[in-house]
């Protein structure tokens, strides 16, 4: 099934990765407004919010978007996710969603909340595949764990 919202999300994410962060943020904000008006569903909300978080300039804004992504995932079924890609399972989203929140709280100076979300990420990490994405998320868990041990609130490289 061709999903116009996801096509536009993918294009916006690519813009952000190419260094056009403000333009990508603008595009995703417009899509968020559209889905909030009924032009999308919780799958769209979860994906848009997850990627929007990575484009924020402030830690508080990033946390807000990551919280929106986590709230939206409750309304996503495996069947809905598989309409976009047959391999997707909602449980596979959870390690990354929790990990994003762990890192947000760590950078905002709340190590206790960060550890709670890191524990949730680790508890759901069995849903990750033995592929590049799974390795990326597991590696980020280790980096966040080390940063928490060191008491660092600095952004992590490549995260």
């Amino acid at each position: 099934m061709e999903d116009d919202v996801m096509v536009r999300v993918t294009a916006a994410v690519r813009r952000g990765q190419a260094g056009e962060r403000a333009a990508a943020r603008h595009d995703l904000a417009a899509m968020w407004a559209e889905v909030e008006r009924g032009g999308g569903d919780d799958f769209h909300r979860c994906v848009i919010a997850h990627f929007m978080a990575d484009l924020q300039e402030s830690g508080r804004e990033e946390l807000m978007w990551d919280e929106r992504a986590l709230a939206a995932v409750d309304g996503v079924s495996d069947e809905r996710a598989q309409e976009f890609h047959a391999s997707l399972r909602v449980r596979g989203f959870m390690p990354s969603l929790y990990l994003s929140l762990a890192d947000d709280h760590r950078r905002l100076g709340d190590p206790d909340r960060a550890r709670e979300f890191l524990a949730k990420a680790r508890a759901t990490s069995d849903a990750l595949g033995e592929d590049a994405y799974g390795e990326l998320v597991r590696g980020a868990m280790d980096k966040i764990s080390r940063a928490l041990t060191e008491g660092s609130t600095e952004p992590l490289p490549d995260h």
Side-chain angles (χ1 to χ4, degrees):
M1 171 179 113
E2 182 72 13
D3 186 329
D4 177 60
V5 173
M6 292 304 295
V7 169
R8 291 182 291 139
V9 167
T10 301
V13 169
R14 286 190 183 126
R15 284 183 87 174
Q17 291 169 339
E20 297 180 50
R21 293 173 56 85
R25 219 175 13 254
H26 178 270
D27 293 348
L28 289 172
M31 285 179 251
W32 180 264
E34 179 183 316
V35 299
E36 287 297 284
R37 287 190 309 269
D41 58 18
D42 283 334
F43 177 72
H44 293 137
R45 283 180 191 83
C46 181
V47 173
I48 291 167
H50 184 63
F51 287 115
M52 184 69 138
D54 293 338
L55 296 168
Q56 297 308 302
E57 298 296 322
S58 85
R60 292 267 173 229
E61 289 290 311
E62 187 170 350
L63 175 62
M64 179 193 71
W65 283 104
D66 281 328
E67 288 173 337
R68 286 178 176 173
L70 184 63
V73 79
D74 285 341
V76 181
S77 67
D78 285 343
E79 294 77 18
R80 172 59 186 102
Q82 290 164 8
E83 288 176 12
F84 177 67
H85 194 281
S87 70
L88 294 179
R89 305 282 181 279
V90 174
R91 184 163 162 72
F93 297 4
M94 302 314 296
S96 180
L97 294 174
Y98 288 139
L99 192 59
S100 293
L101 286 159
D103 198 42
D104 294 341
H105 285 290
R106 179 192 66 79
R107 287 183 290 113
L108 290 169
D110 189 347
D112 293 335
R113 289 288 286 155
R115 284 185 186 92
E116 287 175 33
F117 281 107
L118 181 58
K120 289 179 180 187
R122 288 195 189 282
T124 57
S125 66
D126 62 319
L128 296 170
E130 296 299 324
D131 56 12
Y133 176 74
E135 290 303 312
L136 176 74
V137 174
R138 281 187 283 276
M141 285 182 205
D142 292 340
K143 288 178 186 175
I144 292 169
S145 180
R146 278 192 302 276
L148 280 166
T149 299
E150 295 166 1
S152 173
T153 58
E154 294 300 312
L156 298 174
D158 300 319
H159 181 73

